[in-house]
Amino acid sequence: MSSLDVLGQRIRHFRQQRGFTLEDLGEHVGVTASALSLVENGKREAKVSLLNALAESLEVDLAELLNQSPPSPRAALEQRWRESVNEPLFHSLGLQPPRITRSTTDDVLAALNGLYGEIHRREQQALATPEEARRANTEQRLRMREANNYLPELETLAEDLVGVSGHQSGAITHREVELMAKSLGFDIVHANDLPKTARSVTDLENGRIYLPPASIPGGHGLRSMALQAMAHLLLKHRVPQTYEEFLQQRLEINYFAAACLMPRTQAVDFLRDAKKQRNIAVEDFRDAFGVTHEAASLRFTNLATEFLDIRLHFLRVGDDGGVYKAYENDGLRLPTDVTGATEGQIVCRHWSARQAFARTNRTTEYYQYTDTPEGTFWESTQIGTGQADEFSITVGAAFDDAKWFRGRDTTERTHSSCPELECCRRPEADMTAKWSGKAWTSARLQAHTLSPLHGGTFPGVSDVELFEFLERHEEPDQTH
Ligand SMILES: [Zn+2]
C-alpha cells in the first residue's frame, strides 16, 4: 500500500462525507474531475498547492488529510484487499481479482479478506513440510560445518551482555541473568500459565520476559530460556516467514544462550588448560559451568576447532539408534538419506553412541575407539534420560586427536563398515534363513517427528533387531 493510495482514499472519504461529487470538489479546487479521480485512485501525485486547497475545501487539517491510516473501517477493508491482490501468493492462484466498487458491500469485502487470509495462513503452515524441514536442517548443518560451528558475532554479543552482569567465573547465576535482562530494560517474571507450546513470552510493551516457574534439573533450563528470549530481542528477530528462517533463529538463540552460560574467554581458558594437561573431558567442562551434558558438548564443538585446533563430531542419538542431532567436521561419515539429511537416520550399532546404551554403569562417560572406512575415531558417550526415552550424547575426534582427551587409554574398540549393509543392517544369512517369514511385529511410532520409517521387513523395525530378539527368546522360559 503506497502512501499515494492512502492519500487518495482519504480524499475520497472526506469528499463523500461532505456529499461532494468529483465535479463539485474539482470546481472548488480548480482541477478537472478526471484529474481529481487520478489522485483519489493513487495514480497521480498532488502538488502541495492542490493539497492545501483540498484540505480547505474539505474542512480538514492538512495533517489530517496526510495521515497514513485508513480513514474508515471500510477504507481499511479496501486497503487490506488491495495489499492482498498484490501479493505473489494471490497471483499464484491465477484468479482475476474482482473489482471493488462502492456497491461492493462491507460483508463481501470482509469475506474476501477472510478467505484470502485463510489461504495465506495455510500457506505459511505448509512451509514446514517434513521434506522442507529436512532440507533446511541439512543446509544448516553444512553451513555450520563450513564455519567450524563457530559464530564470532554471537560470541561477542554474548560476552558484552555477560559483562554487564559483573560475572567473573564459573556458572552464571540466575541473579546475573536477571541483571542482564534489566540492562536490556526487561524484568524476568515467572508465570505458570504460559501457552503450552511457548518456552517464553516477551511483553515488549511493558518490558517483561515471562518464563515458567521451574524447570528440571536444578533450574538450569530457566537461565537458558531467559537468555534465548533476550537473544530474540538483541538480534532483532522478526516473525519467521519461512521454516529456514525459523531454524536459523533457533540456532542463533541457542548459540547465544550457550555463549552466555559458557562465555568464550573463560570457556577457552578452561579448555586450553585441559588440553595442556591432555585431560579434556566434556563432563568437567559441564560441571565447571553448571550446564547439561548436551549443552557442554555442543558448546565444545563451537570452540574446539577455532581455539584448540581439534576437529570433532557430535551426536545425539535416541535409544532406537536414530539421530536426533549431528555435527561433524572430522570426516566421520554420518548416516544420511538420499537428500543428505541425517535426522532420524540410524547410526551404526558399533558406534559409541549406541554401544553406550548397553552399559550398566552410566554415571561416567563411556569411551571407545571405532574403526570405520573413513579411519579410526575416538569417542566419548554419556547416556541421558529425556521425557520419554533415553538418549546418548557423543563427542568424538579422529584417532590423532584422541591424545588430548581423558579416556584415550580405553581398551574398548569396535569395527564398523557402515554404510555397508553387512556391517549391522543385514542379519546374518543363517538367521535370515531361520526366521524370515516366521515372525510378525507391530511398529511403534517414532519418537521424533522428522525420523523416517526405517528397517527391514516391517516398517520401523530392523530385521537384525527382530531376529536377535527371537533368538534370545527362542529357548522356553524356565521360570514359568
Ligand atoms: Zn554398522
Side-chain angles (χ1 to χ4, degrees), residues 347-351 415-420 422-425:
V347 304
C348 179
R349 304 175 94 196
H350 305 300
W351 288 11
H415 181 78
S416 159
S417 63
C418 267
E420 265 180 34
E422 281 67 26
C423 174
C424 60
R425 272 150 232 258

